[in-house]
Amino acid sequence: MSPKPSATPLVYLVKVPCYSDVVSPPLGLGYLAAHIGDVARVRLIDGIREPVTPHSLAGQARVERPAVIGLSVVTHAARSLVDFVATLRAACPDSVIVAGGPHPSALPEEVLRRSGDALDGVLIGDAEQTFRTLVTAVGTNPAPRDVDWSAIPG
């Protein structure tokens, strides 16, 4: 079942979990959430502080049907990203799934190659405006994955 087009799509912003001896708020995701708060409903999921697995997140997403799923990835979490993307794609075939953060910014081609067709795109560097444009386009598109990527800057 496809997410319904809406002026306020549901967006998941997820910090992909990995071992860390430093627990700090996911500031990059917070910036994205603040930048899209007037055009989307945002669910910020901090995989470092909250126990989240690919299957638990996919189960939640299957029920809530987010239009966009943004995954923030550090290099320590790069292996987990592939599992998250594949599991989320199986649960949410019509959602737009993108990755960003330090690892995808440094190695975008590798991230896309390892994720196969399950990942729609990689956002490189500071992506607040790019992500806002993407979320707005998805929110007005009856088939979110059919968004015109040529209209998305970056």
Side-chain angles (χ1 to χ4, degrees), residues 22-91:
V22 177
V23 178
S24 63
L27 294 178
L29 294 180
Y31 291 133
L32 289 178
H35 213 72
I36 63 169
D38 62 327
V39 296
R41 296 171 291 130
V42 179
R43 180 166 314 259
L44 201 150
I45 301 163
D46 182 351
I48 302 295
R49 295 183 58 108
E50 302 173 35
V52 63
T53 66
H55 292 287
S56 67
L57 184 60
Q60 180 179 343
R62 192 176 289 114
V63 172
E64 294 185 327
R65 297 174 37 220
V68 178
I69 302 170
L71 302 165
S72 177
V73 188
V74 296
T75 300
H76 286 19
R79 288 185 184 194
S80 297
L81 175 65
V82 175
D83 292 335
F84 270 86
V85 170
T87 306
L88 286 166
R89 175 57 65 217

